[in-house]
Amino acid sequence: MEGLIGEIESVIRRPATEGDSSRTQSFVAAFEQIVANGCRGRARRKARCWATQHCWLLVQDPVSLDAALWDPVARDRVDLPHLAKALPKNCKCLLSHEKPTSHGCVVLVVDLDSPALWYCRVSHRSWYSHEYSFEKHPGFQIQSIAAAHEDFYFSVSPTELVCMELMCYEFSPEPRFTTIEHGKIWLAGGFPLEKAPQHLVESRQELLVFIQYYPMPIGGYKNYGVWKMDFLKREWTKVYPLRDRVLLLGPWRFAASLPAGELGVEDSCVYLIGDDNVMQIRSLKLFACMRRPYPLNPEMSGVYTLAANACGFDVAV
């Protein structure tokens, strides 16, 4: 695994800088270079990569099936247990903690094409897999999921949030699912919540949901907003400023909260790739919901690349 990651590191032109105050910006730049290298023609093999919400990459060797978490900025690597099979290309990878070196950190991989999960505790020796189903919601498949408070959360209905706890012990390998019933979010114009795409995302240990919808019955402008889950009251409350954070939302409901200062951009904005594969920037500041989307600065192409490829890409080595 060390040799494989070493070859991937060789395509990053920007050297790692210890104590770099713009780690997020450096990660975005490195990610863009790695993805570009995946388009290289002749290569001995291709490594498979996924981005986590905390600027680490999950890397799997397609030959040995070994896996590791890798920070392309600090060049740190955390080896993971051996996988018995190759992970599907279309996956979402999340960490239960901000740093995988934190005690008890769990790595979760969600298959985006079937109801299947893979997960492991970083310090343990085994991966576990699970095919989930819910009797009340037959055929349900996880689309949007976020990690918060060291657990994982996803919605199964407009009034039901599921908390998934992963113990990752041999005597208790199965996930524990707890349903949290909560008040429903009411959208302007009576737009049905179940028809509005949702992105769950953790930001500063708070569970948020971004929703974009059409408040008018036919056509019209798109409205949007962010709500925060109040676990004590079991209800979603509207959020406006994000306190020096931006949300990055991409295909497959990828979602991450990033520091605006490290990216050098205005805070409380959402970078969203729509169905037309075009990224728009929308402000969450008070009275900004009716503004037209900001145009994407060409210098921010790396942000688009990260959002568009976070859920799986190959890189030639």
Side-chain angles (χ1 to χ4, degrees):
M1 199 67 196
E2 181 177 359
L4 175 67
I5 289 181
E7 292 187 52
I8 301 175
E9 284 180 350
S10 67
V11 307
I12 303 175
R13 295 185 299 274
R14 183 191 183 282
T17 303
E18 195 164 335
D20 192 343
S21 61
S22 301
R23 179 186 180 277
T24 305
Q25 195 171 42
S26 299
F27 174 84
V28 170
F31 187 92
E32 186 174 27
Q33 295 170 37
I34 295 168
V35 170
N37 196 64
C39 300
R40 196 172 67 182
R42 297 177 181 176
R44 290 176 297 165
R45 55 180 174 166
K46 287 182 178 288
R48 185 158 288 177
C49 302
W50 301 266
T52 73
Q53 79 278 29
H54 292 307
C55 296
W56 284 73
L57 295 181
L58 172 63
V59 182
Q60 185 179 30
D61 186 325
V63 178
S64 68
L65 302 182
D66 290 336
L69 291 169
W70 174 50
D71 177 354
V73 178
R75 308 295 173 97
D76 292 332
R77 185 181 88 250
V78 178
D79 290 327
L80 298 175
H82 179 78
L83 277 156
K85 60 183 292 186
L87 294 171
K89 181 178 180 179
N90 297 324
C91 289
K92 189 178 297 183
C93 180
L94 298 99
L95 304 178
S96 62
H97 295 61
E98 184 173 353
K99 296 182 179 179
T101 52
S102 299
H103 177 71
C105 182
V106 173
V107 182
L108 170 66
V109 178
V110 181
D111 190 339
L112 297 171
D113 297 315
S114 65
L117 309 170
W118 290 266
Y119 47 94
C120 74
R121 200 171 292 272
V122 171
S123 58
H124 289 193
R125 296 177 296 177
S126 301
W127 282 86
Y128 300 97
S129 61
H130 178 77
E131 292 187 5
Y132 58 87
S133 62
F134 298 93
E135 185 176 351
K136 287 179 59 179
H137 305 280
F140 170 82
Q141 189 169 330
I142 296 173
Q143 296 184 23
S144 183
I145 183 171
H149 313 297
E150 302 181 10
D151 291 321
F152 302 90
Y153 295 85
F154 56 90
S155 292
V156 291
S157 79
T159 58
E160 293 175 297
L161 184 71
V162 173
C163 173
M164 180 171 64
E165 183 182 8
L166 299 175
M167 301 299 292
C168 300
Y169 293 123
E170 291 185 5
F171 61 85
S172 180
E174 299 297 311
R176 296 180 182 177
F177 297 105
T178 303
T179 301
I180 302 172
E181 295 186 355
H182 58 77
K184 186 176 181 179
I185 297 175
W186 295 100
L187 303 178
F191 191 91
L193 181 62
E194 53 271 16
K195 293 185 178 181
Q198 302 178 34
H199 290 78
L200 287 169
V201 57
E202 176 272 331
S203 182
R204 299 183 185 276
Q205 283 302 305
E206 293 180 334
L207 183 63
L208 309 179
V209 61
F210 173 86
I211 303 175
Q212 183 168 252
Y213 61 99
Y214 289 97
M216 302 298 291
I218 301 176
Y221 64 90
K222 281 186 178 180
N223 204 346
Y224 56 95
V226 172
W227 287 259
K228 176 180 69 174
M229 169 52 68
D230 186 326
F231 286 96
L232 292 178
K233 297 181 179 180
R234 294 199 172 193
E235 64 181 21
W236 293 99
T237 58
K238 195 71 176 288
V239 175
Y240 287 99
L242 289 177
R243 295 181 298 167
D244 191 41
R245 307 295 286 188
V246 296
L247 301 184
L248 181 61
L249 310 177
W252 302 104
R253 308 289 174 88
F254 171 77
S257 170
L258 303 176
E262 290 189 17
L263 282 174
V265 298
E266 182 181 351
D267 67 344
S268 297
C269 286
V270 177
Y271 290 77
L272 171 68
I273 296 181
D275 296 334
D276 55 1
N277 291 325
V278 174
M279 175 170 276
Q280 297 180 344
I281 308 173
R282 296 184 175 272
S283 175
L284 293 173
K285 292 182 178 179
L286 194 61
F287 306 125
C289 290
M290 299 297 293
R291 297 179 188 169
R292 292 185 178 181
Y294 296 106
L296 183 66
N297 189 323
E299 296 179 359
M300 297 296 291
S301 62
V303 173
Y304 178 93
T305 301
L306 174 57
N309 295 278
C311 292
F313 66 98
D314 292 331
V315 55
V317 294

